[in-house]
């Protein structure tokens, strides 16, 4: 048993847990909801459009008569009146939706918190399309076009569809390689051989590469989509935020697997030097 091999074992264990959390965050209502890739805040969607003080009556006539007489109430709780949710958070396997509590509006004493009401089914190669989701939830007779939903948001989401699917595959490879590296790390601690160290270093490097590329892709997706939403959606009451917790978990797992690979290389070199030293001392003792 090599006590120094415990360090890469612990690094691999933590990386494995973090990478699993990246995949399964949001798998149930409220389960690590803060581990979202990005969140769309739609609690203000349509506020400008439906505010009679800012729009003409002709614009209101284009919206379903079921809400024409409720404009004053809509200003206080618009999302529920439109039959949509305050937020939509995208995860690797699904999306979740819900309302902000106690209110969508922050003030000096109260900070809104997410209250998840529903999450979609788990889907491999999942791609979040907020335009389709929100349109399907709107009250009959109302369309996103009535609410001035920017086409740039749909275009931005569509542009990263292929990248999001590649990202999912890389996360699966990364988690699998990290899991194998974890098993190899246990064997490496027990055996302490050079072969175990070199195999573990290769597995760790594979996991590092897969998780690193996936992390880079998800970072790029976050930046592009959030930028486009905030650039074109703010005027109609839609904003987006990056999932900082997800970024922290995915990059932490990546760094840990890099450290693990280096640690196993060190173990290989140290074991080789130790064997060389034994051989040298053995030859020296015969003279």
């Amino acid at each position: 048993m090599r006590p120094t091999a415990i360090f890469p074992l612990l690094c691999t264990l933590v990386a494995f847990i973090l990478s699993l959390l990246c995949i399964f965050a949001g798998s149930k209502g409220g389960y690590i909801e803060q581990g979202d890739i990005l969140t769309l805040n739609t609690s203000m969607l349509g506020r400008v459009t439906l505010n009679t003080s800012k729009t003409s009556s002709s614009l209101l006539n284009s919206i379903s008569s079921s809400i024409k007489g409720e404009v004053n109430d809509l200003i206080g709780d618009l999302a529920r009146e439109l039959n949509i949710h305050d937020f939509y958070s995208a995860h690797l396997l699904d999306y979740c939706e819900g309302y902000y509590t106690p209110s969508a509006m922050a003030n000096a004493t109260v900070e809104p918190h997410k209250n998840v009401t529903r999450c979609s089914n788990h889907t491999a190669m999942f791609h979040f399309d907020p335009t389709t989701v929100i349109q399907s939830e709107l009250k009959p007779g109302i369309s996103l076009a009535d609410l001035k939903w920017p086409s740039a948001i749909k275009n931005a989401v569509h542009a990263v569809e292929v990248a999001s699917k590649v990202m999912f595959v890389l996360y699966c490879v990364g988690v699998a390689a990290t899991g194998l590296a974890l098993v190899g790390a246990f064997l490496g601690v027990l055996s302490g051989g050079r072969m175990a160290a070199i195999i573990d270093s290769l597995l760790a490097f594979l996991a590092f590469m897969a998780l690193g590329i996936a992390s880079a892709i998800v970072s790029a997706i976050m930046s592009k989509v959030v930028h486009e939403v905030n650039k074109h959606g703010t005027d109609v009451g839609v904003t987006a935020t990056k999932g900082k917790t997800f970024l922290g978990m995915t990059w932490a797992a990546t760094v840990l697997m890099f450290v693990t690979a280096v640690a196993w290389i060190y173990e290989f070199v140290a074991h080789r030097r130790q064997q060389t030293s034994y051989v040298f001392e053995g030859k020296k003792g015969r003279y």
Side-chain angles (χ1 to χ4, degrees):
M1 178 176 178
R2 293 183 63 86
T4 54
I6 295 177
F7 173 71
L9 169 62
L10 293 177
C11 288
T12 306
L13 177 61
V14 175
F16 184 63
I17 293 172
L18 289 174
S19 57
L20 284 178
L21 291 178
C22 286
I23 291 181
F24 292 106
S27 58
K28 297 179 181 178
Y31 177 71
I32 319 180
E33 173 56 29
Q34 66 272 26
D36 59 305
I37 295 175
L38 60 87
T39 294
L40 239 61
N41 184 339
T42 55
S43 61
M44 303 282 284
L45 178 62
R47 185 175 295 260
V48 175
T49 307
L50 298 177
N51 189 339
T52 54
S53 66
K54 297 182 180 180
T55 58
S56 63
S57 58
S58 62
L59 180 58
L60 289 174
N61 288 333
S62 68
I63 303 177
S64 174
S65 59
S66 64
I67 62 171
K68 282 182 181 177
E70 303 173 0
V71 174
N72 290 331
D73 294 333
L74 290 176
I75 301 303
D77 197 3
L78 187 55
R80 291 177 188 268
E81 293 294 339
L82 291 174
N83 205 38
I84 63 174
H85 294 79
D86 285 342
F87 69 86
Y88 298 84
S89 54
H91 299 275
L92 208 58
L93 293 175
D94 61 2
Y95 75 90
C96 295
E97 58 189 18
Y99 300 98
Y100 289 111
T101 56
S103 170
M105 300 297 292
N107 55 50
T109 58
V110 178
E111 184 71 22
H113 296 283
K114 290 180 177 179
N115 179 30
V116 177
T117 58
R118 188 185 77 89
C119 292
S120 64
N121 295 328
H122 287 182
T123 305
M125 304 284 192
F126 173 72
H127 178 65
F128 179 53
D129 183 359
T131 302
T132 302
V133 171
I134 296 173
Q135 180 61 65
S136 68
E137 294 184 353
L138 282 170
K139 278 187 174 181
I142 308 175
S143 69
L144 287 176
D146 296 326
L147 301 176
K148 306 301 182 184
W149 182 266
S151 59
I153 295 179
K154 183 174 183 177
N155 295 337
V157 171
H158 179 71
V160 300
E161 182 174 0
V162 174
S164 66
K165 293 180 178 180
V166 173
M167 174 187 69
F168 173 77
V169 173
L170 287 171
Y171 271 115
C172 290
V173 173
V175 170
T178 304
L180 290 174
L182 183 61
V183 174
F186 277 110
L187 298 176
V189 170
L190 296 176
S191 66
R194 286 189 301 168
M195 184 57 67
I198 197 63
I199 292 175
D200 288 336
S201 65
L202 291 174
L203 287 172
F205 185 74
L206 174 61
F208 160 70
M209 290 297 295
L211 292 175
I213 297 174
S215 299
I217 292 175
V218 75
S219 298
I221 290 175
M222 283 186 190
S223 296
K224 179 174 179 60
V225 175
V226 169
H227 172 74
E228 292 297 318
V229 170
N230 291 335
K231 179 181 178 181
H232 300 282
T234 302
D235 291 341
V236 297
V238 182
T239 58
T241 54
K242 297 179 182 179
K244 295 182 179 179
T245 300
F246 186 94
L247 278 178
M249 291 192 300
T250 187
W251 282 112
T254 300
V255 171
L256 283 171
M257 291 315 298
F258 175 75
V259 172
T260 300
V262 173
W264 281 120
I265 292 174
Y266 170 80
E267 285 295 317
F268 173 79
V269 174
H271 189 275
R272 185 174 182 179
R273 285 180 177 177
Q274 188 179 47
Q275 284 190 329
T276 303
S277 177
Y278 288 153
V279 171
F280 177 77
E281 289 180 358
K283 288 182 179 180
K284 185 177 179 181
R286 289 198 294 266
Y287 290 101

